[in-house]
């Protein structure tokens, strides 16, 4: 009985606030703590959990002061378990709260939050329990996943708009590492003892096989923004973490003129179409009685 009464009360509260008669800034820390506690205490009660998540999302989106208070009361770790359930509505509201916290976080906190999401394996959880679940993804869930993707990609914008400095030895060493991973296995044992001209010729040949546009000085490929240093970051990650696939693609590039650097445009397309979320508004969801 208490659960039903609480559910009806929270529903009435949400509908009252939707009319904009009362300001969100009028609510106390005690009230926020109570709503946040429902997210953990009533995890098994779908109606209470749904309404509590909806209230938290609205608090964050409608008041900077409330964002700070909610961020202190609810953690990513407390939200993650709700994504591992089977109710898509609860999953949708959970991602909506994560998005709201992400959107309202100061710039210096967003990367920190992204690191926490990575540590909690949010991507794997969403893939397993949302995208690959045995049910269709509804429009609202698709929207929330899109917003989360936009917020994540926006963190890459600085690297995307950073030009490579061809004189920076540390950055040039990354390109040398790409060549080493791709070609060391087939290099001659004593190739380092050859003349400078011979080694330069060998490096030029290797950079051409890797698909660089500028074979003599591949650093110049990353002076255009976008893609800037983001392209090099992607290539290095691919080479280090998927070495076999990287070498296969290198072979493919040699025989089909596939270009690593040209195809980083795919990543840039994603980023260009995912910029600036200040204008993104999470859509209103209808709370069923």
């Amino acid at each position: 009985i208490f659960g039903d009464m609480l559910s009806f009360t929270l529903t009435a509260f949400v509908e009252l606030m939707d009319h904009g008669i009362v300001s969100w800034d009028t609510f106390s820390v005690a009230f926020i703590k109570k709503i946040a506690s429902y997210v953990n205490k009533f995890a098994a009660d779908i109606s209470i959990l749904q309404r509590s998540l909806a209230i938290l999302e609205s608090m964050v989106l409608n008041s900077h002061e409330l964002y700070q208070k909610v961020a202190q009361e609810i953690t990513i770790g407390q939200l993650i378990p709700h994504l591992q359930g089977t109710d898509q509505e609860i999953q949708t509201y959970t991602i909506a709260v994560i998005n709201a916290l992400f959107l309202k976080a100061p710039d210096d906190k967003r990367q920190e939050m992204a690191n926490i999401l990575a540590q909690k394996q949010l991507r794997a959880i969403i893939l397993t329990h949302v995208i690959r679940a045995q049910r269709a993804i509804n429009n609202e869930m698709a929207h929330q996943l899109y917003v989360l993707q936009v917020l994540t990609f926006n963190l890459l914008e600085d690297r995307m708009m950073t030009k490579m400095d061809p004189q920076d030895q540390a950055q040039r060493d990354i390109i040398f590492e790409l060549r080493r991973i791709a070609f060391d296995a087939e290099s001659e044992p004593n190739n380092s003892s050859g003349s400078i001209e011979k080694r330069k010729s060998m490096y030029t040949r290797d950079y051409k096989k890797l698909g660089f546009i500028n074979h003599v000085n591949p650093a110049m490929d990353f002076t255009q923004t976008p893609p800037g240093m983001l392209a090099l970051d992607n290539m290095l990650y691919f080479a280090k973490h998927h070495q076999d696939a990287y070498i296969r693609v290198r072979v493919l590039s040699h025989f089909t003129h596939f270009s690593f650097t040209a195809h980083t445009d795919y990543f840039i397309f994603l980023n260009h179409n995912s910029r600036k979320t200040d204008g993104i508004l999470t859509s209103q969801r209808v709370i069923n009685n």
Side-chain angles (χ1 to χ4, degrees):
I1 296 177
F2 172 77
D4 290 339
M5 291 179 60
L6 180 58
S7 176
F8 292 143
T9 301
L10 293 175
T11 300
F13 174 82
V14 171
E15 293 180 350
L16 175 65
M17 295 307 296
D18 282 346
H19 286 83
I21 300 173
V22 181
S23 170
W24 284 98
D25 289 314
T26 60
F27 297 103
S28 65
V29 174
F31 178 76
I32 297 171
K33 287 179 178 289
K34 180 64 69 175
I35 297 299
S37 72
Y38 293 158
V39 171
N40 300 313
K41 185 177 179 181
F42 291 95
D45 191 315
I46 299 299
S47 60
I48 294 176
L49 178 57
Q50 183 189 69
R51 287 150 180 77
S52 298
L53 289 169
I55 292 171
L56 290 176
E57 180 199 9
S58 294
M59 285 179 174
V60 172
L61 292 177
N62 287 285
S63 169
H64 177 69
E65 183 178 350
L66 288 184
Y67 152 73
Q68 294 176 317
K69 294 176 180 177
V70 171
Q72 293 173 352
E73 296 300 327
I74 201 79
T75 66
I76 299 299
Q78 292 170 317
L79 294 171
I80 290 294
H82 301 310
L83 291 174
Q84 297 172 307
T86 58
D87 189 289
Q88 189 170 119
E89 287 298 312
I90 294 301
Q91 292 174 324
T92 303
Y93 277 91
T94 300
I95 294 178
V97 173
I98 292 173
N99 286 339
L101 290 169
F102 212 139
L103 183 62
K104 293 299 181 179
D107 290 342
D108 60 333
K109 294 290 185 182
R110 287 186 181 179
Q111 186 61 59
E112 179 181 332
M113 186 173 177
N115 294 339
I116 294 174
L117 294 177
Q119 291 170 6
K120 298 294 183 180
Q121 299 184 319
L122 178 67
R123 179 178 178 274
I125 290 171
I126 290 176
L127 279 174
T128 302
H129 298 279
V130 178
I131 296 176
R132 294 174 181 167
Q134 299 301 312
R135 60 176 182 272
I137 294 178
N138 61 38
N139 291 337
E140 182 59 30
M141 173 61 83
H143 170 73
Q144 293 299 335
L145 290 174
Y146 164 75
V147 173
L148 180 60
Q149 186 179 51
V150 168
L151 292 166
T152 303
F153 278 141
N154 277 349
L155 294 175
L156 304 175
E157 186 171 359
D158 284 345
R159 291 296 283 174
M160 183 177 70
M161 301 308 295
T162 299
K163 294 182 179 182
M164 182 173 185
D165 179 1
Q167 305 305 317
D168 188 312
Q169 188 59 46
Q171 294 179 3
R172 292 174 63 86
D173 285 345
I174 296 176
I175 297 178
F176 295 150
E177 179 70 2
L178 291 175
R179 195 210 69 82
R180 184 195 66 77
I181 293 172
F183 295 103
D184 260 14
E186 62 185 46
S187 296
E188 299 175 8
N190 297 319
N191 62 9
S192 61
S193 62
S195 67
I196 294 177
E197 289 303 319
K198 183 178 179 180
R199 277 186 283 135
K200 282 184 177 180
S201 176
M202 180 183 65
Y203 285 2
T204 298
R205 178 200 65 195
D206 291 347
Y207 291 140
K208 182 177 181 180
K209 287 182 180 180
L210 281 174
F212 286 102
I213 297 171
N214 191 318
H215 309 151
V216 177
N217 185 8
M220 299 303 297
D221 283 18
F222 305 101
T223 57
Q224 178 182 348
T225 57
M229 291 296 291
L230 178 61
L232 188 59
D233 292 344
N234 286 325
M235 292 175 68
L236 182 63
Y237 182 90
F238 183 38
K240 284 190 170 182
H241 295 273
H242 305 280
Q243 186 169 336
D244 290 342
Y246 172 70
I247 293 174
R248 287 198 300 272
V249 173
R250 185 268 294 173
V251 174
L252 174 67
S253 72
H254 178 57
F255 288 104
T256 65
H257 304 290
F258 177 93
S259 170
F260 265 120
T261 51
H263 282 73
T264 53
D265 288 347
Y266 173 71
F267 294 99
I268 309 314
F269 169 80
L270 291 176
N271 280 279
H272 264 315
N273 286 275
S274 303
R275 286 192 184 180
K276 304 302 181 186
T277 57
D278 291 342
I280 293 179
L281 298 177
T282 51
S283 58
Q284 289 285 339
R285 286 174 293 283
V286 178
I287 298 181
N288 299 317
N289 292 324

